[in-house]
Amino acid sequence: MSNVIPTLPTYFITHGFLEGGDRPWLKEISRQILRRYDANVIIIDWEQGSGSPYTQAVANIRMVGRITAHLINVIRTELGLNVANVHLIGHSLGSHLCGYVGSVLQTNFGVTVGRITGLDPAEPHFSQTDPMVRLDPSDAMYVDIIHTDSRPFIKGGELGLGMSVPIGHLDFYPNGGENQPGCNQGMMKYINRENGSFYQGMRRFLACDHVRAHEYFNESINTVCNFVAIECDSYEEFLNGECFSCLSDTNPDGKICAEMGMRSLGHWKKYAPTIASSLDPNTSPHIRLYSLTNGDSPFCTYLYKVTLNLANSQLSKDHGGEVGHFLVQLEGTDSKSKLLNVFKEQHYKPGSVHRRVFGSNYVGTIKSVLLVWNHSTTMNILTWRFEAPVIYVESLTIETFNIGQKLKLCPPKLIALEAGLSFRMIPC
């Protein structure tokens, strides 16, 4: 305790079920925090209580939470620690452990911690329970949650370990909060990452979506890329581009936007007065925000919205609709994106409009877009034509989120785009 400097921000970080304080991810988050801030960092190691059976570990976090709360109060009373500058960070069961810390500090000592971050809070034994027995917004001045494995605990042979319901002030759902990109790779990749340990590699493989939460948070501490997330009613509406502008004085119809991870607090402070004024005083806000990530580190990506207008010309109508999907490649002043599968396989009718939000590396100012039309078969079951599918494109509009660029592009001329071929869309 003599090494704690009470005037500095203090971070407590803790693990979940079947883990201990020596896990590399805990040390890495500690290093990243100390690289960015002059701070105290304390790891809560409860390995002796985190083992099987799971039900016992669930019970143990109450005791560990109470002990940690008493430790914080001792530092407060003996050294003058400002509890408002305490940030508790927990993964899985550790998220709820942090909730107990916050609750005990309020109940027993009359103080409230500044912030709790829940990294994919554990779902088993905490879903549909009273807020008293799990992490909730009342446990700290600000509670932010990152949901990465929020499928039901057992569904269709899949295992979802995290909670799906919002339980914080701001709840972030990267990639919809369920299936994280890059988590469908072979188990050997994870064994290699764990220095050849079959046991740890298998655990990481099975819990890949679950551990993404602390990987995203770790990267958010020092990245120059912003993990931007946007408030929306559902992930599908987010992907369809229905929530692609931020609330501001000049845009009262915009949505709440915030950076996922370490820097989300500043965004909460910005929006909290507006949110509070629109709520019943006895309720807590649960703001769902959605974002996209890459499938591997670096995970942070830039958001783009594409609007595809199919031609409604007589030539297009005479040909009729087609089934297929579109790929796009952004070409900018700084670089190009990968060829991205943006529009899913579906039936595309003449004159129809299609919108989609996708993530990519930042390419600078967009100059052109390479558009590819693909189809898996030459037989169109909706039109019963045995011929190569073609499509007529009128225009494509690209918007870069929060940068302000909106560019309409057109094909060189109204020609049929054949399956498997491409043409370059240029400013109209």
Side-chain angles (χ1 to χ4, degrees):
M1 195 169 73
S2 60
N3 292 326
V4 174
I5 302 175
T7 56
L8 296 180
T10 301
Y11 297 85
F12 288 82
I13 315 170
T14 192
H15 56 86
F17 183 52
L18 297 178
E19 289 198 306
D22 62 345
R23 294 297 295 146
W25 70 266
L26 288 164
K27 297 177 181 178
E28 181 58 25
I29 287 181
S30 300
R31 280 194 292 267
Q32 292 297 331
I33 290 174
L34 293 173
R35 177 183 159 198
R36 184 174 181 87
Y37 306 108
D38 193 7
N40 306 301
V41 179
I42 300 169
I43 293 176
I44 306 170
D45 183 356
W46 58 288
E47 183 176 11
Q48 297 303 312
S50 71
S52 296
Y54 177 77
T55 50
Q56 184 60 56
V58 169
N60 290 343
I61 63 173
R62 297 193 181 193
M63 179 59 69
V64 179
R66 183 171 293 275
I67 292 170
T68 304
H70 279 264
L71 172 63
I72 292 173
N73 188 59
V74 169
I75 300 174
R76 179 181 74 91
T77 55
E78 296 294 326
L79 300 181
L81 177 71
N82 183 356
V83 179
N85 291 332
V86 170
H87 182 179
L88 303 166
I89 304 165
H91 176 244
S92 193
L93 269 185
S95 301
H96 301 298
L97 188 159
C98 291
Y100 287 131
V101 175
S103 178
V104 171
L105 281 169
Q106 291 181 45
T107 303
N108 290 20
F109 307 111
V111 294
T112 303
V113 295
R115 179 178 176 183
I116 296 176
T117 297
L119 303 174
D120 208 35
E123 186 270 343
H125 292 285
F126 295 97
S127 179
Q128 298 180 338
T129 57
D130 191 284
M132 181 182 296
V133 299
R134 59 162 172 79
L135 176 60
D136 74 272
S138 71
D139 293 327
M141 298 177 187
Y142 170 56
V143 176
D144 59 309
I145 310 293
I146 299 177
H147 301 264
T148 55
D149 192 20
S150 61
R151 295 183 302 270
F153 179 49
I154 298 177
K155 180 182 180 182
E158 294 184 323
L159 192 67
L161 301 175
M163 300 187 73
S164 61
V165 296
I167 59 172
H169 293 98
L170 296 182
D171 285 73
F172 296 87
Y173 294 82
N175 309 297
E178 294 187 3
N179 299 305
Q180 302 305 309
C183 279
N184 55 353
Q185 302 178 34
M187 189 167 65
M188 284 306 302
K189 173 185 176 181
Y190 301 96
I191 293 174
N192 292 334
R193 282 189 174 182
E194 295 294 335
N195 299 317
S197 169
F198 177 81
Y199 172 70
Q200 293 294 349
M202 182 177 66
R203 284 187 57 216
R204 189 179 179 92
F205 169 70
L206 294 174
C208 178
D209 295 314
H210 195 42
V211 304
R212 275 288 195 261
H214 63 66
E215 292 177 335
Y216 295 157
F217 185 84
N218 177 66
E219 186 176 308
S220 76
I221 300 170
N222 285 297
T223 182
V224 295
C225 172
N226 299 327
F227 274 96
V228 176
I230 310 171
E231 175 194 14
C232 213
D233 290 337
S234 71
Y235 184 50
E236 193 58 33
E237 288 185 12
F238 165 77
L239 289 177
N240 287 336
E242 297 177 31
C243 312
F244 204 68
S245 64
C246 297
L247 176 67
S248 67
D249 293 339
T250 58
N251 185 24
D253 296 325
K255 302 293 184 178
I256 292 173
C257 301
E259 289 183 61
M260 179 178 72
M262 180 62 88
R263 299 198 287 261
S264 70
L265 176 59
H267 299 272
W268 169 248
K269 289 180 177 178
K270 173 184 176 181
Y271 289 115
T274 302
I275 296 170
S277 66
S278 63
L279 289 173
D280 184 303
N282 298 316
T283 63
S284 294
H286 292 297
I287 309 298
R288 293 175 179 258
L289 301 104
Y290 296 93
S291 63
L292 297 172
T293 71
N294 294 317
D296 210 340
S297 181
F299 296 107
C300 187
T301 188
Y302 291 84
L303 298 181
Y304 297 88
K305 176 182 173 181
V306 58
T307 302
L308 177 68
N309 291 274
L310 298 183
N312 199 34
S313 64
Q314 192 60 49
L315 190 62
S316 179
K317 288 189 286 188
D318 288 345
H319 180 80
E322 286 287 4
V323 175
H325 65 275
F326 287 94
L327 298 93
V328 300
Q329 182 181 52
L330 306 180
E331 300 173 332
T333 53
D334 294 350
S335 63
K336 296 180 181 180
S337 72
K338 296 178 181 178
L339 196 59
L340 303 166
N341 190 1
V342 174
F343 290 104
K344 61 185 178 181
E345 184 95 2
Q346 60 178 297
H347 184 234
Y348 291 91
K349 299 179 181 179
S352 59
V353 179
H354 306 270
R355 297 179 179 86
R356 207 68 174 170
V357 170
F358 64 97
S360 173
N361 59 296
Y362 181 64
V363 299
T365 301
I366 297 172
K367 296 296 186 182
S368 58
V369 171
L370 189 70
L371 184 68
V372 180
W373 161 255
N374 270 342
H375 193 276
S376 58
T377 177
T378 58
M379 179 179 175
N380 187 328
I381 62 173
L382 295 178
T383 57
W384 299 104
R385 288 194 301 270
F386 290 86
E387 58 185 31
V390 298
I391 205 86
Y392 292 85
V393 177
E394 180 178 293
S395 66
L396 182 149
T397 301
I398 287 284
E399 298 176 56
T400 307
F401 182 74
N402 250 15
I403 293 179
Q405 185 186 17
K406 183 175 182 179
L407 183 65
K408 183 177 180 180
L409 305 110
C410 297
K413 56 183 177 179
L414 186 58
I415 56 176
L417 178 57
E418 295 184 17
L421 301 181
S422 65
F423 51 49
R424 183 162 280 102
M425 308 284 288
I426 57 176
C428 299

